[in-house]
């Protein structure tokens, strides 16, 4: 029967995988292999996708993908699954002379850099890899309990026992193949940078699946130490692991660690130094035995490669032979420069066909089976399963969080709570900051004579910068909620809950995570799309993410919502966010129906266990965002505010004093004839159908570098250094009505994102035309939506 037919609570054994190669490879890496038990745990609120448990981990699969996996009850499976090969044994490569019979070469030792060690940190998503990086390097990279937080390589440097250690945190990946951008990135880094030592972060309580990546490092013959992270969870389950024996069998030293508590780190670093100095007794190069059939076909190909004088030396011959047999495109690209590559390809293709004929399996499946067989054999001798169910808490929470009746209401309630807290709780410290800037402005006014310099400091710098700085508390509260959702594991559940809806848009539930991150900042959210294997879904997600209202827009929303809709401000806020999501869904549907009609890969996403966020990690995340916001205020916003002030203050009308006006009065009354007024009036005809005059037009223009500048611009144009004064000035001006204010908010929401986000779109899609498309399309959508809102709002409001 099909896995999709399995009812909640039922367990079966996997007997066969179908579907296309990319899907089959991914689910094998996730633990869906022949002979493995799988349990149907929970349906999502809309009955699709379904949460399954395999190898001790919860994984989400859609029903149509689960239908590609054939399962049988345990008793029937025993008859069906007869061993094809003997797995679990290995051959040592100690004292190798480089003979053809060994099928390997020893990597030449890299040039010694005295006392400097280059370390690469690799591991599965949710393995605690970035926590380990933070603990070792003292870096403040954010740690999220869902796949794909680390979307690029991060490097930290620290000193230990006289050595300088440069550690690079590579993207989380389940394997080192050419399936996803992360996998390609990791392999290229290992190939090009040739780090001295690899730290392989492994979840100690889930070794069977996590060690799959380790077997690939074994094939690569890289000096590796395994960090058995979250070892406290393994001990809490009552399990026992003879990690020294396991390390000896695999030829890789293994060190228990608890990154969040900084336990085991000294021993880990001592081992890194031992590997660097060649003094570790555990390390040795082994060969995983892939069974008689694969080894028979591998030997002649390895022999051919071995006599080549232009084969890349970064990895051993045996590794390149395996990749050729797997038809690995990235590896083939790296070998294209070799003069005999065509003959190797023909021989590898012939070997692959022979393996398929003899085993009835493709090479990738046969190799994957062998790797898991090797892992199982090693764990049978070294690992004893615990009696405690460590996932019981997670299952209980999921029954509530992913319940078909409660899942959506709980999610929406959480969003409502977040925005209410942002507006109401943030109002108190906001008032304090606002008052402080107001007093500062009054103080400067009292001690400085009237003139351009006083006006610059009071209306330009204090008014402009202060009008943005007052929203720091709201932004911190927003990031507090996002941080808690990420660190606890709820973010992945949100993707699970939303997958059915995302599927209607032509996307994966996995696309929902970058979209939700976009509420914080669009730039890292766009970078987080690298975890989406399907290129078409990835590009669509990149293009719709800017419709998610980032924290930079929040000050604008709060200002205008508090000014024109004080009693319904939280409702206005959440309505704007929902509108952004709806426009994103509409855009995604159009793109899927037109440009990207084919979705290359299915939805497969790990659902990690729930973990209690630590106070230290949460506060550090909030401080990072606070620091970024303050840095932005002190650079981009300050510089832009001064430019806006200059354009609004000049040119000075002649004979000012003859009409009895002071400089300040003249400036206040003559913005319309300033440079910025001329620019705004020239472009205002475009915005007049939306009920927006030249001041609002200027606010829109200045939002291009950074959205917070809208508030800063308003502070300058309305000569106000406090939020309360700015609200009063906006109302008194008569420039906005409730309908035009709503139109303005909608336009700011949908208008093309800041310059940094546009640059991120160009970088992540690899094509500037998509950045240009985002600018033109988003602007058009913003104008059309603003026009309809103003037209309908004028009738209603």
């Amino acid at each position: 029967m099909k896995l999709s037919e399995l009812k909640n609570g039922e367990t079966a054994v996997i007997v066969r995988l179908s579907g296309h190669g990319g899907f089959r490879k991914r689910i094998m890496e996730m633990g869906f292999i022949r002979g493995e038990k799988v349990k149907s745990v929970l349906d999502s609120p809309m009955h699709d996708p379904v949460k399954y448990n395999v190898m001790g981990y919860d994984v989400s699969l859609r029903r149509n993908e689960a239908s590609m996996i054939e399962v049988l009850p345990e008793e029937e499976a025993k008859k069906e699954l007869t061993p094809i090969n003997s797995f679990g044994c290995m051959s040592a490569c100690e004292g190798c002379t480089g003979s053809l019979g060994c099928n390997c070469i020893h990597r030449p030792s890299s040039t010694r850099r005295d006392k400097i060690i280059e370390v690469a940190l690799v591991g599965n998503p949710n393995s605690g890899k970035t926590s380990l990086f933070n603990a070792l390097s003292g870096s403040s990279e954010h740690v999220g309990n869902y796949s794909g937080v680390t979307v690029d390589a991060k490097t930290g440097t620290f000193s230990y026992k006289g050595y300088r250690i440069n550690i690079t945190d590579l993207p989380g990946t389940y394997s080192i193949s050419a399936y996803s951008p992360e996998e390609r990135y990791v392999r290229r880094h290992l190939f090009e940078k040739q780090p001295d030592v690899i730290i392989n972060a492994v979840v100690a309580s889930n070794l069977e699946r996590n060690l799959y990546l380790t077997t690939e490092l074994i094939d690569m013959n890289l000096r590796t130490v395994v960090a058995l992270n979250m070892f406290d969870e393994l001990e809490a389950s009552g399990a026992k692991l003879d990690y020294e024996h396991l390390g000896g069998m695999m030829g890789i030293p293994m060190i228990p660690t608890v990154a969040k508590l900084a336990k085991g780190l000294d021993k880990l670093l001592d081992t890194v130094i031992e590997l660097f100095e060649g003094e570790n007794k555990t390390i040795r190069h082994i060969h995983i035995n892939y069974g008689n059939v694969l080894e028979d076909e591998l030997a002649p190909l390895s022999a051919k490669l071995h006599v080549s004088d232009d084969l890349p030396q970064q990895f051993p011959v045996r590794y390149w032979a395996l990749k050729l047999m797997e038809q690995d495109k990235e590896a083939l690209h790296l070998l294209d420069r070799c003069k005999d590559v065509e003959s190797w390809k023909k021989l590898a293709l012939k070997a692959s066909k022979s393996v398929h004929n003899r085993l009835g399996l493709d090479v990738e499946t046969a190799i994957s089976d062998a790797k898991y067989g090797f892992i199982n054999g090693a764990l049978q001798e070294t690992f004893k399963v615990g009696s405690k169910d460590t996932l019981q808490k997670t299952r209980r929470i999921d029954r509530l969080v992913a319940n078909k009746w409660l899942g959506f209401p709980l999610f929406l309630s959480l969003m409502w709570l977040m925005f209410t807290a942002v507006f109401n709780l943030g109002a108190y410290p906001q008032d304090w900051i606002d008052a402080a800037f107001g007093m500062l402005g009054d103080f400067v006014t009292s001690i400085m004579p009237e003139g351009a310099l006083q006006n610059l400091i009071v209306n330009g710098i204090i008014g402009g910068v202060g009008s943005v700085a007052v929203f720091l508390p709201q932004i911190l509260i927003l990031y507090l909620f996002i941080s808690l959702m990420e660190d606890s594991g709820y973010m992945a559940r949100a993707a699970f809950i939303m997958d059915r809806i995302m599927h209607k848009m032509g996307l994966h539930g996995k696309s929902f995570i970058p979209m939700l991150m976009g509420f914080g900042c669009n730039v890292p959210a766009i970078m987080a799309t690298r975890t989406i294997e399907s290129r078409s879904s990835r590009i669509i997600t990149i293009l719709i993410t800017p419709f998610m209202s980032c924290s930079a827009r929040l000050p604008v929303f709060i200002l205008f919502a508090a000014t024109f809709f004080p009693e319904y401000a939280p409702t206005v806020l959440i309505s704007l966010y929902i509108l952004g999501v709806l426009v994103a869904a509409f855009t995604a549907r159009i793109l899927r129906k037109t440009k990207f009609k084919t979705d290359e890969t299915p939805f497969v996403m790990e659902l990690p266990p729930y973990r209690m966020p630590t106070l230290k990690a949460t506060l550090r995340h909030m401080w990072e965002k606070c620091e970024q916001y303050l840095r932005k205020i002190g650079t981009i916003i300050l510089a832009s505010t001064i430019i806006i002030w200059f354009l609004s203050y000049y040119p000075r009308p002649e004979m000012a004093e003859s009409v009895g006006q002071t400089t300040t009065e003249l400036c206040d009354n003559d913005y319309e004839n300033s440079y910025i007024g001329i620019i705004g009036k020239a472009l205002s005809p475009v915005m007049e159908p939306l009920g927006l005059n030249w001041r609002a037009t200027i606010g829109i223009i200045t939002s291009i570098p950074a959205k917070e500048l809208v508030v800063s611009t308003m502070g300058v144009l309305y000569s106000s250094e406090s939020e309360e004064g700015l609200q009063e000035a906006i109302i008194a001006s008569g420039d906005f009505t409730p309908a035009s204010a709503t139109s303005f908010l909608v336009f700011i929401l949908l208008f093309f994102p800041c310059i940094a986000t546009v640059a991120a779109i160009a970088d992540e899609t690899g094509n500037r035309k998509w950045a240009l498309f985002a600018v033109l399309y988003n602007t058009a959508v913003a104008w059309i939506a603003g026009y309809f809102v103003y037209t309908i709002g004028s009738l209603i409001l």
Side-chain angles (χ1 to χ4, degrees):
M1 65 177 177
K2 305 298 183 184
L3 179 59
S4 57
E5 299 171 15
L6 208 62
K7 297 179 180 179
N8 287 173
E10 292 183 348
T11 301
V13 177
I14 300 169
V15 295
R16 190 169 291 105
L17 306 176
S18 58
H20 59 77
F23 168 76
R24 193 164 58 248
K25 181 173 178 60
R26 170 57 68 204
I27 61 175
M28 285 191 296
E29 292 168 354
M30 296 289 287
F32 290 85
I33 58 171
R34 295 172 72 250
E36 193 64 39
K37 291 182 181 179
V38 59
K39 181 179 180 180
S40 176
V41 179
L42 181 71
D43 288 358
S44 67
M46 299 182 73
H47 301 290
D48 197 16
V50 179
K51 183 171 78 171
Y52 297 97
N53 184 273
V54 62
M55 289 191 178
Y57 259 57
D58 290 331
V59 178
S60 173
L61 278 181
R62 286 187 184 146
R63 289 186 179 275
N64 63 330
E65 278 106 39
S67 67
M68 300 181 191
I69 303 173
E70 188 173 339
V71 297
L72 286 175
E74 291 187 50
E75 290 301 318
E76 294 182 36
K78 289 179 181 178
K79 302 174 184 178
E80 174 78 10
L81 294 173
T82 55
I84 297 175
N85 288 293
S86 174
F87 298 129
C89 57
M90 53 199 154
S91 59
C93 192
E94 297 172 317
C96 172
T97 60
S99 63
L100 296 184
C102 178
N103 293 330
C104 79
I105 60 173
H106 284 278
R107 296 175 63 230
S109 59
S110 56
T111 303
R112 173 71 178 271
R113 298 177 306 280
D114 192 35
K115 299 294 185 180
I116 301 176
I117 308 176
E118 298 293 337
V119 175
L121 182 56
V122 302
N124 286 186
N126 305 308
S127 63
K129 181 175 56 63
T130 304
S131 294
L132 195 60
F133 174 77
N134 290 342
L136 290 172
S137 68
S139 175
S140 56
E141 286 303 320
H142 178 52
V143 182
N145 190 18
Y146 68 92
S147 174
V149 173
T150 307
V151 294
D152 206 342
K154 308 293 190 302
T155 301
T157 299
F158 61 97
S159 297
Y160 182 78
K161 292 187 176 180
Y163 290 84
R164 191 179 81 190
I165 299 177
N166 300 324
I167 183 169
T168 302
D169 180 22
L170 295 173
T173 178
Y174 294 105
S175 72
I176 310 176
S177 60
Y179 181 68
S180 70
E182 288 83 12
E183 292 169 352
R184 290 192 292 270
Y185 188 100
V186 170
R187 184 158 64 183
R188 285 176 184 172
H189 181 91
L190 300 180
F191 180 83
E192 295 171 1
K193 303 299 182 182
Q194 297 187 62
D196 299 308
V197 179
I198 308 294
I199 295 179
N200 178 203
V202 164
V203 179
S205 58
N206 195 263
L207 292 171
E208 186 174 7
R209 201 192 69 192
N210 277 246
L211 288 175
Y212 185 91
L213 180 61
T214 310
T215 63
E216 295 191 304
L217 295 172
I218 290 174
D219 286 340
M220 290 179 163
N221 189 22
L222 300 171
R223 283 182 288 188
T224 302
V225 54
V226 167
L228 295 168
N229 204 21
M230 307 178 204
F231 201 78
D232 54 337
E233 293 184 5
L234 180 143
E235 293 177 322
S237 71
K240 301 293 182 182
L241 175 66
D242 187 348
Y243 55 85
E244 291 183 351
H245 187 195
L246 179 62
M249 295 177 69
M250 303 189 80
I252 294 176
M254 299 194 173
I255 310 298
T257 62
V258 184
K260 66 181 180 180
L261 301 178
K263 290 185 178 180
L265 302 188
D266 287 345
K267 179 61 176 175
L268 179 65
L269 293 176
D270 289 341
T271 307
V272 168
I273 293 173
E274 289 175 3
L275 292 176
F276 178 71
E277 297 290 359
E279 298 174 352
N280 187 273
K281 297 180 180 179
T282 302
I283 193 75
R284 64 194 179 102
H285 183 203
I286 67 169
H287 283 168
I288 297 172
N289 190 325
Y290 289 112
N292 295 334
V293 174
L294 268 170
E295 294 292 345
D296 287 348
E297 301 297 337
L298 194 59
L301 181 57
S302 297
K304 282 278 188 181
L305 296 175
H306 193 82
V307 297
S308 169
D309 57 3
D310 60 356
L311 186 73
Q313 299 296 300
Q314 288 89 337
F315 303 139
V317 166
R318 184 178 173 88
Y319 175 80
W320 293 118
L322 285 168
K323 295 297 128 182
L324 281 166
M325 289 179 64
E326 288 180 323
Q327 302 293 306
D328 187 301
K329 293 180 180 179
E330 188 78 7
L332 292 176
H333 176 70
L334 293 173
L335 296 176
D336 274 344
R337 68 195 72 176
C338 301
K339 62 178 182 294
D340 296 324
V341 66
E342 293 304 323
S343 64
W344 299 343
K345 289 179 182 178
K346 291 179 181 177
L347 185 59
L349 183 59
K350 181 180 177 182
S352 298
K353 291 180 178 178
S354 177
V355 169
H356 187 273
N357 291 335
R358 295 172 66 181
L359 294 179
L361 301 171
D362 59 69
V363 171
E364 286 185 349
T365 302
I367 290 175
S368 179
D369 282 352
K371 286 182 183 292
Y372 278 116
F374 167 68
I375 294 167
N376 287 330
L379 290 179
Q380 283 176 9
E381 295 188 35
T382 59
F383 180 71
K384 183 179 179 181
V385 179
S387 57
K388 297 179 181 178
D389 183 4
T390 57
L391 292 178
Q392 186 177 28
K393 179 182 69 175
T394 292
R395 293 193 184 98
R396 286 177 178 173
I397 297 173
D398 274 345
R399 289 192 196 104
L400 178 67
V401 169
N403 183 275
K404 66 178 180 179
W405 301 113
L406 298 177
F408 283 114
L410 281 174
F411 175 72
L412 293 176
S413 297
L414 181 60
M415 295 296 101
W416 177 265
L417 176 64
M418 179 172 73
F419 294 122
T420 301
V422 164
F423 192 86
N424 293 334
L425 291 181
Y428 297 103
Q430 181 186 23
D431 290 341
W432 304 334
I433 298 172
D434 190 28
F437 274 97
M439 288 188 290
L440 180 60
D442 293 340
F443 173 73
V444 173
T445 301
S446 67
I447 64 171
M448 288 187 68
E450 293 182 349
L453 182 59
Q454 185 214 64
N455 197 282
L456 168 63
I457 295 174
V458 175
N459 292 330
I461 296 176
I462 297 177
V465 171
S467 60
V468 176
V470 295
F471 295 102
L472 178 61
Q474 279 94 342
I475 288 175
L476 287 178
I477 293 172
L478 176 67
Y479 273 106
L480 169 65
F481 276 86
I482 292 176
S483 175
L484 291 175
M485 286 192 291
E486 290 176 352
D487 296 350
S488 66
Y490 181 76
M491 191 78 88
R493 269 65 186 187
F496 174 71
I497 292 167
M498 295 297 294
D499 178 66
R500 187 67 176 267
I501 293 175
M502 299 299 292
H503 190 51
K504 297 290 185 183
M505 296 162 53
L507 295 173
H508 298 159
K510 193 179 283 190
S511 296
F512 187 69
I513 291 175
M515 291 171 66
L516 203 56
M517 288 178 66
F519 291 158
C521 180
N522 290 160
V523 175
I526 287 172
M527 294 176 68
T529 61
R530 295 178 187 178
T531 60
I532 302 171
E533 293 86 357
S534 165
R535 175 166 172 76
S536 64
S537 291
R538 184 166 176 257
I539 292 178
I540 292 174
T541 307
I542 287 171
L543 294 176
I544 67 175
T545 294
F547 290 120
M548 303 298 103
S549 181
C550 65
S551 60
R553 296 180 176 101
L554 189 59
V556 187
F557 296 165
I558 292 175
L559 172 64
F560 278 82
T563 302
F564 293 96
F565 311 100
E567 295 181 5
Y568 306 101
T571 304
V572 172
L573 280 181
I574 197 169
S575 298
L576 287 168
Y577 281 77
I578 290 173
L579 176 61
V581 173
L582 293 175
V583 172
F586 174 74
T587 302
R589 196 64 182 161
I590 290 176
L591 291 171
R592 181 60 77 191
K593 289 289 187 180
T594 54
K595 179 65 177 177
F596 303 104
K597 295 182 179 180
T598 304
D599 190 12
E600 302 91 346
T601 55
F603 170 67
V604 183
M605 187 183 70
E606 179 184 331
L607 295 176
Y610 288 102
R611 292 189 172 95
M612 181 64 69
T614 63
L615 178 63
K616 180 180 178 181
T618 301
L619 292 178
R620 182 168 58 188
H621 186 209
M622 293 176 66
W623 167 246
E624 289 169 28
K625 300 307 175 185
C626 175
E627 188 179 32
Q628 290 174 14
Y629 193 66
L630 292 175
R631 192 182 300 119
K632 195 174 185 181
I633 290 174
T635 53
I636 296 174
I637 292 174
L638 176 60
S640 300
T641 296
I642 293 173
I643 293 172
I644 293 167
W645 173 87
F646 178 85
L647 293 175
S648 66
Y649 192 80
Y650 294 100
R652 309 304 299 152
E654 295 180 358
M655 305 300 291
E657 295 180 0
S658 66
V659 296
Q661 289 181 312
T662 65
T663 305
T664 302
E665 289 172 336
L666 181 62
C667 182
D668 290 344
N669 296 333
D670 211 45
Y671 282 133
E672 195 167 353
N673 295 316
S674 65
Y675 290 127
I676 202 166
I678 294 170
I679 295 170
K681 289 172 71 175
L683 296 176
S684 61
V686 178
M687 305 306 297
E688 284 176 359
L690 281 66
L692 305 178
N693 66 1
W694 63 274
R695 284 191 178 90
T697 303
I698 292 169
I700 291 168
I701 294 170
T702 57
S703 75
I704 293 174
K707 299 304 175 187
E708 300 97 331
L709 285 172
V710 175
V711 178
S712 180
T713 301
M714 295 298 169
V716 173
L717 292 179
Y718 291 98
S719 303
S720 174
E721 62 270 9
S722 70
E723 188 206 0
E724 184 178 350
L726 181 55
Q727 292 178 11
E728 293 174 355
I730 290 174
I731 293 175
S733 70
D735 289 342
F736 293 92
T737 65
S740 63
T742 306
S743 171
F744 184 72
L745 288 174
V746 169
F747 194 92
I748 292 296
L749 167 71
L750 304 176
F751 186 44
F752 78 83
C754 65
I755 294 298
T757 304
V758 174
I761 293 172
D763 289 341
E764 294 301 314
T765 59
N767 196 325
R768 292 181 181 179
K769 73 176 185 179
W770 289 120
L772 179 61
F773 170 82
V775 169
L776 298 177
Y777 176 80
N778 290 32
T779 302
V781 169
W783 194 95
I784 294 170
Y787 174 77
F788 277 106
V789 166
Y790 176 68
T791 303
I792 297 172
S794 297
L795 298 175
I796 298 175
L797 300 178

